Amino acid sequence: MNSLDRRAVTSSPINPLLANRHSTRAFADSELTDAQVASLLEAARWAPSCGNTQPSRFIVARTGTVTFKRVVAQLNPGNQKWAAAAAALIVGVRLTANEKGPLPFAAYDLGQAMAHLSFQALTEGLTVRQMAGFDAAGLAAEFGLDETLVPTTIAAVGTAGDPAVLEDDVRAPDVAPRQRIALDELVIGD
């Protein structure tokens, strides 16, 4: 287990789960239970979406499965180094259109669903690291997705491990102090 304190130093109090959330690349050898996977997806399912369009879809790839290997093969080489140790890789796919037409806020809605999934993972004692370094077209082809289903993000999910096991070129962010821009830099205007 990672002995580093990764708790965020916040300028205002926030939920302790959120303060302790961090995106590690170090995963312990573990698996997700069926109940954990169901809870993660249920949290994502209940995320808000524009007009209740619910444009989020997921490919769930658990370690040790053919599906997991298929997803890992579509990751950029740098992500393959560490993500292959996760208990699961969950591909967030956005539905860009339905029978009523284009869904212009699908990416935002998928982001909401991934945030809910991530928060639920925290309640399960899990960690999540999302990534954009993958071949989206390759994933779509690999899983036979039609043009309205766009792979947008992949979340590596599992139990946090010790960053010491990571190769030098991927370990640095896992041991560096956590930083964010100042709160007053987020707000535009008065």
Side-chain angles (χ1 to χ4, degrees):
M1 181 61 88
N2 182 357
S3 61
L4 295 173
D5 183 1
R6 303 294 293 161
R7 186 181 2 243
V9 177
T10 62
S11 57
S12 292
I14 63 174
N15 185 293
L17 285 175
L18 294 174
N20 286 311
R21 185 216 62 81
H22 66 281
S23 299
T24 187
R25 289 177 181 87
F27 289 92
D29 186 22
S30 65
E31 294 183 8
L32 300 184
T33 67
D34 291 343
Q36 286 173 315
V37 172
S39 291
L40 297 177
L41 295 175
E42 188 69 4
R45 185 171 79 100
W46 283 97
S49 63
C50 182
N52 199 27
T53 53
Q54 303 174 50
S56 302
R57 303 295 185 271
F58 302 94
I59 299 169
V60 179
R62 293 184 187 193
T63 188
T65 66
V66 172
T67 301
F68 189 85
K69 291 175 186 172
R70 292 168 67 194
V71 173
V72 169
Q74 300 303 319
L75 299 177
N76 291 354
N79 287 335
Q80 287 178 347
K81 288 181 181 182
W82 58 267
L89 297 173
I90 300 177
V91 182
V93 178
R94 73 181 189 274
L95 177 67
T96 60
N98 64 14
E99 65 281 350
K100 295 180 182 178
L103 300 173
F105 300 105
Y108 177 82
D109 293 342
L110 176 60
Q112 288 265 23
M114 294 304 292
H116 279 63
L117 182 149
S118 295
F119 191 81
Q120 182 62 36
L122 292 170
T123 69
E124 301 278 336
L126 302 169
T127 190
V128 175
R129 180 173 184 86
Q130 293 188 55
M131 63 191 109
F134 63 92
D135 181 353
L139 263 173
E142 178 68 29
F143 288 94
L145 304 179
D146 72 40
E147 64 187 22
T148 65
L149 293 169
V150 180
T152 305
T153 187
I154 299 177
V157 182
T159 303
D162 186 346
V165 303
L166 296 171
E167 294 181 23
D168 291 342
D169 61 333
V170 295
R171 180 183 319 116
D174 278 47
V175 296
R178 295 180 65 197
Q179 298 179 339
R180 291 291 190 270
I181 62 173
L183 190 58
D184 61 356
E185 291 182 53
L186 295 178
V187 180
I188 300 170
D190 294 337

